[in-house]
Amino acid sequence: MEQARLLKAIIETAIDGIITIDNRGRIESLNPAALRLFGYALEEVKGKNISVLMPEPDRSGHDGYISRYQTTGEKRIIGKGREVKGLRKDGNTFPFRLAVSEVQYEDRVIYTGFIHDLSREKEAEERLREYAAELEELVEERTKSLKKTVRALSEAKEEVSLSLEKEKELNQLKSRFVSMASHEFRTPLSSVQLSASLIDKYAEPYDNKNIRKHVSKIKNAVGNLTTILNDFLSLERLEAGRVEPTFTAFDLVKLSEEITEEMQMIAKQDQNIIYQHTGLQSMVLLDPNLLKNCMINLISNAIKYSGENTFIEFNTEINDQQCIVTIKDNGIGIPESDHKYLFQPFFRAHNTGNIPGTGLGLNIVQRYASLMKGELYFESRIDTGTKFVLSFHK
């Protein structure tokens, strides 16, 4: 009796639906979860053929399934489970996974069905398909737009003469194109990033490693493309002479702490950025935007070229003569043969391998530092690490 009461309690409180039928397909019992799924009270369906809970064509064929099994032993209705449709009392249908077991008593045989509602899973799958379709359409539209822009630029170049005035016009056109291309890329990249985040959010209940892996790849690719766009846009503005420093008094320690917090969020697993300030003063007279760009670029490189479970030292110092910013890592280092080329645009050290980058970052940092009357120098040893130092005279 105790075992019977335990079994009844389990059936009554089960999340999934449980239904039993006799060997003629008549309903004997439904647990509360099954009654809620189909929208019936037990007395409304008890004794009726199980087909009342099925839409066509399963309704017409159900008795045939039972008959075939009883006469031939063909186990089409017995097994680990199959996906079928259910018919609610209000006429609506819903998908569920059905697993059926045969129970042999001394004098008769009954069949027990276990019903797992798939409605939420199907809705989530449909949302993911819709997001994927929207993403593909957006990428296709932006690709066509960019191809048109590139073709337009190519046609414009053919019409430009070699005269000084025409060369000036070409430079102006190039500047506009870089700005326009940057805008055209940023919009779809933002959409891709948002869609990837939404896919990641809606996929959370499934804990699917493949979805998480590919969403992570999308996010990393978007981050790399955004960095490339920022580097090219910064270089174009520098080449055009449109970067003028605005010297402003600001709190260096506060800015550095904000950057540390921001960069820690994109650091690798168990990478720690350790910030420390030396000196009693914290106010400096520099361009905060240009300095922030320099700091972020150098810390990004330290993150990129260092492994997991490492420390990145970020130090600032203000003394009577100078303001000094130091970023030090213990990453892959820079080969000595590459030191003299390091600040050339588009140059990348030979040991960077498949690590993404444009080779523009250090050139931009050096030029920003120069605009603020500062200097950038470094020390590095292969497989030991690299230290970059920004110094500004007061």
Side-chain angles (χ1 to χ4, degrees):
M1 288 296 292
E2 184 176 346
Q3 290 183 342
R5 286 196 298 271
L6 176 61
L7 179 60
K8 182 179 179 182
I10 292 173
I11 293 172
E12 292 292 319
T13 58
I15 297 175
D16 286 341
I18 302 174
I19 184 169
T20 60
I21 62 174
D22 63 17
N23 60 0
R24 296 177 61 185
R26 293 175 301 193
I27 298 172
E28 291 192 353
S29 68
L30 287 90
N31 73 338
L35 291 171
R36 287 193 297 271
L37 278 174
F38 289 99
Y40 284 101
L42 180 60
E43 56 269 17
E44 293 181 284
V45 292
K46 187 174 182 179
K48 292 184 179 180
N49 193 283
I50 187 64
S51 62
V52 72
L53 303 179
M54 301 177 179
E56 294 293 355
D58 290 335
R59 172 178 290 193
S60 300
H62 188 267
D63 288 342
Y65 301 153
I66 296 179
S67 176
R68 264 196 309 277
Y69 175 76
Q70 292 171 341
T71 57
T72 69
E74 181 185 350
K75 298 189 177 184
R76 289 188 60 182
I77 64 169
I78 309 294
K80 294 182 178 179
R82 61 191 178 99
E83 189 174 316
V84 296
K85 290 274 189 178
L87 179 65
R88 291 192 172 98
K89 180 179 179 180
D90 61 10
N92 291 321
T93 61
F94 67 99
F96 65 89
R97 182 163 296 282
L98 174 66
V100 181
S101 297
E102 177 185 305
V103 181
Q104 184 76 49
Y105 290 121
E106 291 183 0
D107 57 344
R108 66 191 186 104
V109 175
I110 66 169
Y111 301 100
T112 302
F114 299 89
I115 300 167
H116 178 67
D117 187 10
L118 297 175
S119 300
R120 290 186 177 179
E121 286 89 337
K122 294 297 181 181
E123 290 173 2
E125 288 175 6
E126 182 61 28
R127 284 198 297 270
L128 286 174
R129 281 193 291 270
E130 291 174 358
Y131 286 133
E134 290 175 4
L135 186 58
E136 289 178 3
E137 183 180 349
L138 178 61
V139 170
E140 184 178 352
E141 289 177 359
R142 293 300 179 182
T143 300
K144 289 179 180 178
S145 175
L146 287 171
K147 285 181 178 178
K148 289 180 181 179
T149 303
V150 171
R151 283 197 300 268
L153 178 63
S154 178
E155 292 170 358
K157 283 183 177 179
E158 292 176 0
E159 297 174 357
V160 175
S161 69
L162 298 178
S163 67
L164 183 61
E165 185 61 29
K166 291 298 182 181
E167 186 176 350
K168 181 180 178 180
E169 292 176 6
L170 180 59
N171 287 333
Q172 292 173 345
L173 180 63
K174 182 190 71 173
S175 177
R176 289 197 299 271
F177 171 73
V178 171
S179 298
M180 178 176 62
S182 174
H183 174 74
E184 288 295 320
F185 272 111
R186 286 172 190 275
T187 301
L189 284 176
S190 297
S191 299
V192 171
Q193 184 83 336
L194 176 59
S195 296
S197 298
L198 289 173
I199 290 172
D200 196 26
K201 175 185 177 183
Y202 285 113
E204 282 180 358
Y206 305 103
D207 196 26
N208 189 310
K209 293 182 179 179
N210 288 326
I211 292 179
R212 297 186 185 281
K213 179 180 74 174
H214 290 294
V215 167
S216 178
K217 285 185 176 180
I218 292 172
K219 290 181 176 179
N220 288 337
V222 170
N224 291 335
L225 283 173
T226 301
T227 300
I228 291 171
L229 281 175
N230 290 336
D231 285 349
F232 274 96
L233 193 57
S234 297
L235 182 64
E236 187 276 330
R237 294 178 68 239
L238 283 165
E239 294 289 348
R242 291 190 286 113
V243 179
E244 291 290 338
T246 302
F247 290 92
T248 307
F250 64 95
D251 191 325
L252 177 63
V253 174
K254 181 179 179 181
L255 175 66
S256 301
E257 289 174 344
E258 291 172 354
I259 291 173
T260 301
E261 183 178 358
E262 178 182 340
M263 299 306 293
Q264 186 64 62
M265 295 177 65
I266 63 172
K268 295 176 184 175
Q269 183 175 351
D270 293 327
Q271 265 188 348
N272 290 290
I273 303 171
I274 309 301
Y275 171 68
Q276 185 175 0
H277 177 72
T278 303
L280 299 177
Q281 303 178 52
S282 63
M283 299 299 293
V284 293
L285 186 64
L286 293 167
D287 187 315
N289 293 321
L290 295 185
L291 183 60
K292 180 178 181 179
N293 185 289
C294 294
M295 290 175 167
I296 289 176
N297 199 304
L298 294 174
I299 296 174
S300 295
N301 282 347
I303 291 171
K304 188 161 48 174
Y305 298 115
S306 299
E308 298 177 352
N309 304 300
T310 57
F311 290 92
I312 295 168
E313 298 177 27
F314 176 27
N315 300 321
T316 56
E317 178 183 352
I318 301 175
N319 55 43
D320 294 336
Q321 291 81 34
Q322 291 178 304
C323 167
I324 302 171
V325 178
T326 305
I327 291 94
K328 183 177 183 295
D329 64 66
N330 55 0
I332 64 175
I334 303 165
E336 188 173 351
S337 59
D338 291 338
H339 285 194
K340 59 184 177 181
Y341 306 111
L342 198 60
F343 297 116
Q344 292 183 6
F346 302 104
F347 177 80
R348 303 194 72 212
H350 291 89
N351 62 333
T352 54
N354 295 324
I355 301 174
T358 62
L360 292 174
L362 292 178
N363 177 265
I364 292 170
V365 171
Q366 185 187 51
R367 295 171 74 168
Y368 280 173
S370 179
L371 286 171
M372 292 185 286
K373 311 302 180 186
E375 297 175 347
L376 172 66
Y377 61 92
F378 71 98
E379 299 172 3
S380 184
R381 291 179 60 189
I382 193 76
D383 296 327
T384 300
T386 304
K387 179 173 74 173
F388 281 93
V389 180
L390 285 163
S391 64
F392 305 92
H393 291 279
K394 296 179 69 175

